[in-house]
């Protein structure tokens, strides 16, 4: 089992910045990929950014150049630095950890990010 706890959400004005954190505990040795997803009201949950155990990253086109995902292996924590925030970034942000063998996705409880115009 893996437990994920997100923090760092809040209310920010457009153009501002926030940093989200996702602290993992439990059987973290089995985790290969960690990522951030977001879900706005009435919309599906979409990938924002992901990072592999080797450090490779992947971003949604809408956040490239503005968001950066990173991980601190010593703290078992993944971060999402969000800059130049836009109102359309408003959503609940979820942390996900993926175990490859056997395949399983663990989700955090989500943290609200609200960007005012």
């Amino acid at each position: 089992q893996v437990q994920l706890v997100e923090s760092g959400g809040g209310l920010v004005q457009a153009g501002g910045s926030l940093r989200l954190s996702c602290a993992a505990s439990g059987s973290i040795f089995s985790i290969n990929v960690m990522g951030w997803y977001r879900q706005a009201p009435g919309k599906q949950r979409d990938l924002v950014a992901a990072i592999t155990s080797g450090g490779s990253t992947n971003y949604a086109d809408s956040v490239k150049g503005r968001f950066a995902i990173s991980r601190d292996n010593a703290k078992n924590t993944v971060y999402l630095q969000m800059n130049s925030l836009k109102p359309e970034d408003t959503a609940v942000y979820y942390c996900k950890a993926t175990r490859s063998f056997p395949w399983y996705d663990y989700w955090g409880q989500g943290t609200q990010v609200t960007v005012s115009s």
Side-chain angles (χ1 to χ4, degrees):
Q1 286 291 329
V2 174
Q3 295 78 41
L4 303 172
V5 178
E6 300 112 328
S7 60
L11 174 64
V12 65
Q13 289 188 331
S17 299
L18 283 174
R19 189 177 80 156
L20 305 183
S21 300
C22 174
S25 61
S27 301
I28 56 176
F29 61 88
S30 64
I31 299 303
N32 299 96
V33 182
M34 294 192 70
W36 288 96
Y37 288 69
R38 65 186 181 188
Q39 187 169 21
K43 295 188 176 181
Q44 66 180 21
R45 190 175 297 186
D46 291 325
L47 173 69
V48 176
I51 185 167
T52 69
S53 55
S56 297
T57 58
N58 183 42
Y59 294 93
D61 288 342
S62 60
V63 306
K64 284 180 180 177
R66 300 189 298 124
F67 290 11
I69 189 170
S70 61
R71 62 194 297 166
D72 184 333
N73 291 328
K75 295 183 178 180
N76 298 323
T77 300
V78 172
Y79 303 98
L80 184 67
Q81 178 66 45
M82 304 186 294
N83 300 325
S84 302
L85 283 161
K86 304 175 181 179
E88 51 263 44
D89 294 318
T90 295
V92 178
Y93 284 69
Y94 296 90
C95 179
K96 187 179 86 168
T98 298
R99 182 189 68 196
S100 296
F101 302 105
W103 190 276
Y104 193 84
D105 289 328
Y106 299 92
W107 290 93
Q109 80 286 355
T111 185
Q112 177 70 47
V113 171
T114 302
V115 184
S116 63
S117 57

